[in-house]
Amino acid sequence: MSEFNAALGLVQLRHVDEHIARRGAIADRYRELLAGVPGVRTLARPCGATPNNSYFAILVDAGHALGRDGLYKHLREQGIVARRYFHPLISDFPMYRNLPSADPARLPAARAAADQVLCLPIYPALQNADVERIAGLVRESAVAVAPPMLLAA
């Protein structure tokens, strides 16, 4: 690390406790707002540990109307930068995909994570109104909107 990078790091350390606390508050609010959303699970706070909340991952399964990739696209269209974590799996890269160890049947947990994890924005300056908006978009998109029925003439 250069001296300049070290100096920047030391300045940031002055605010680390405040930033971790703010991220924790955002994570708690996301958990509240996303509780009970069909097809979305949030990860519980780890017992006996103090997380730094560097990411806020949700698991989006088949119970969500759009699915993980559809929700990812929907959020992007609304200007929300979410991230598909563990995507793609390293075992999917061309140089690895033909190896026996890359067989999807041997990696069920990794495959499930790669197919379901979506990280929502979380950073200390994220405003409460933005957290509410992001969670609202996730909530609203969880229920498929039925197309209008055509009436027989």
Side-chain angles (χ1 to χ4, degrees):
M1 174 185 316
S2 72
E3 289 181 12
F4 178 74
N5 288 357
L8 287 176
L10 288 172
V11 170
Q12 289 301 314
L13 281 176
R14 295 179 192 160
H15 308 287
V16 72
D17 291 335
E18 174 188 330
H19 288 182
I20 289 172
R22 175 64 184 141
R23 286 173 177 268
I26 292 168
D28 289 344
R29 188 64 180 139
Y30 271 140
R31 282 188 194 88
E32 289 173 23
L33 294 169
L34 297 174
V37 174
V40 172
R41 284 185 297 137
T42 61
L43 305 176
R45 253 183 198 266
C47 230
T50 304
N52 65 9
N53 297 297
S54 59
Y55 296 98
F56 188 81
I58 60 174
L59 300 174
V60 183
D61 62 33
H64 190 279
L66 299 179
R68 194 277 309 269
D69 289 343
L71 177 56
Y72 169 81
K73 182 179 177 190
H74 177 66
L75 291 173
R76 289 283 176 139
E77 289 168 351
Q78 302 302 314
I80 306 300
V81 180
R83 181 174 173 212
R84 294 176 290 187
Y85 207 71
F86 305 118
H87 177 81
L89 280 179
I90 291 175
S91 58
D92 292 338
F93 291 2
M95 68 285 290
Y96 302 117
R97 74 171 60 123
N98 293 324
L99 295 173
S101 60
D103 180 356
R106 297 179 72 146
L107 305 166
R111 175 62 49 206
D115 292 344
Q116 294 181 12
V117 173
L118 186 66
C119 292
L120 300 180
I122 187 167
Y123 51 92
L126 186 64
Q127 299 297 307
N128 293 338
D130 294 324
V131 174
E132 305 271 338
R133 177 174 174 255
I134 294 164
L137 289 167
V138 173
R139 244 190 348 264
E140 292 164 8
S141 68
V143 181
V145 178
M149 294 184 63
L150 298 175
L151 300 175

